[in-house]
């Protein structure tokens, strides 16, 4: 009987040890573009396609599926860069700038969306710098904790090859979304804020 009693603390200790050293599942590892070069990523891009797990985002985007012109600028001495987005909204040219903080991982950035109280991790998953970039955005709203995944396709021009588009759709599927739901933005022309509502076709 004494032997049985001696086994009890050993079993308890063993259980406690197993609980302490049991495997801890890490957060999903997102790989960024190999040997990412921030300087080459800067400059002008166009957002040609987008998809999100957020129904409200998708509804809003479907109501205004226009190409967004992006200008990325970085000052070498600073730990962030600015993305200025310009597009037509209800026939009027709108512009908005967002500061992206750099992280210790090349190709990974962070920014905050005040309107939704959301922290966003942005990843450059693939890019060849001269033609296309595929972006993965993971946002977490506070204090609700709601999480959203967004995948975007950037291009240096208003067009991409069929092969690039196929690769983008494959990335969309990898993150649990249907490529049939991808929104292809429409070219409404280049707009200049403050220059009137007329567009200049590219």
């Amino acid at each position: 009987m004494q032997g049985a009693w001696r086994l009890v603390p050993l079993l308890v200790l063993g259980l406690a040890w197993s609980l302490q050293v049991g495997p801890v599942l890490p957060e999903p590892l997102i790989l960024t573009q190999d040997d990412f070069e921030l300087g080459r990523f800067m400059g002008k891009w166009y957002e040609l396609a987008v998809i999100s797990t957020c129904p409200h985002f998708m509804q809003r985007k479907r109501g205004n599926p226009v190409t967004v012109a992006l200008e990325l600028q970085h000052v070498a001495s600073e730990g962030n860069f600015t993305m200025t987005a310009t597009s037509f909204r209800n026939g009027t040219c709108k512009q908005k700038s967002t500061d992206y903080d750099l992280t210790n991982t090349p190709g990974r950035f962070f920014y905050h969306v005040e309107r939704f109280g959301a922290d966003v991790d942005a990843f450059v998953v693939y890019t060849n710098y001269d033609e296309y970039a595929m972006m993965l955005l993971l946002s977490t709203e506070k204090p609700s904790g709601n999480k959203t995944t967004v995948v975007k396709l950037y291009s240096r021009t208003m067009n991409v090859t069929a092969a690039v588009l196929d690769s983008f759709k494959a990335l969309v599927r990898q993150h649990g979304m249907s490529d049939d739901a991808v929104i292809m933005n429409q070219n409404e022309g280049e707009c200049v804020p403050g220059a009137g509502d007329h567009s200049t076709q590219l």
Side-chain angles (χ1 to χ4, degrees):
M1 187 69 180
Q2 290 179 347
W5 280 107
R6 279 196 292 267
L7 282 175
V8 172
L10 290 176
L11 290 172
V12 172
L13 286 174
L15 176 60
W17 181 83
S18 65
L19 289 174
Q20 290 175 354
V21 301
V24 178
L25 296 177
E27 293 185 3
L29 178 63
I30 306 299
L31 298 179
T32 58
Q33 173 63 46
D34 291 340
D35 302 318
F36 179 78
E37 298 180 46
L38 181 65
R40 294 181 65 191
F41 185 63
M42 296 296 101
K44 190 161 191 174
W45 292 96
Y46 295 96
E47 179 191 298
L48 298 188
V50 63
I51 189 172
S52 171
T53 57
C54 175
H56 300 294
F57 176 96
M58 293 295 285
Q59 182 179 7
R60 186 170 65 252
K61 188 64 181 178
R62 287 192 187 99
N64 190 45
V66 298
T67 300
V68 182
L70 306 168
E71 186 68 37
L72 280 58
Q73 296 180 317
H74 173 241
V75 177
S77 61
E78 297 183 359
N80 59 26
F81 69 87
T82 300
M83 176 184 287
T84 301
T86 307
S87 66
F88 282 107
R89 189 179 306 163
N90 299 323
T92 302
C93 188
K94 301 290 186 180
Q95 190 173 77
K96 180 181 179 181
S97 293
T98 303
D99 291 330
Y100 285 63
D101 293 330
L102 306 182
T103 70
N104 292 329
T105 302
R108 179 181 181 180
F109 318 116
F110 172 86
Y111 67 97
H112 181 74
V113 182
E114 191 67 34
R115 177 183 175 187
F116 300 107
D119 292 332
V120 184
D121 267 318
F123 303 84
V124 184
V125 182
Y126 303 113
T127 185
N128 67 354
Y129 304 102
D130 298 325
E131 296 176 81
Y132 67 87
M134 299 181 197
M135 304 291 298
L136 174 66
L137 310 179
L138 304 178
S139 71
T140 304
E141 294 182 20
K142 296 182 178 180
S144 67
N146 290 338
K147 296 182 181 296
T148 298
T149 299
V150 180
V151 185
K152 295 185 176 184
L153 175 61
Y154 294 169
S155 175
R156 292 293 190 185
T157 66
M158 287 289 188
N159 300 288
V160 291
T161 64
V164 168
L165 189 56
D166 286 344
S167 296
F168 173 73
K169 290 180 177 180
L171 178 63
V172 167
R173 293 192 295 271
Q174 287 174 18
H175 290 278
M177 292 174 279
S178 170
D179 56 36
D180 291 335
V182 169
I183 296 174
M184 299 301 300
N185 293 332
Q186 304 300 310
N187 177 15
E188 297 292 335
E190 193 85 11
C191 68
V192 180
D197 297 342
H198 299 289
S199 64
T200 301
Q201 293 295 327
L202 294 177

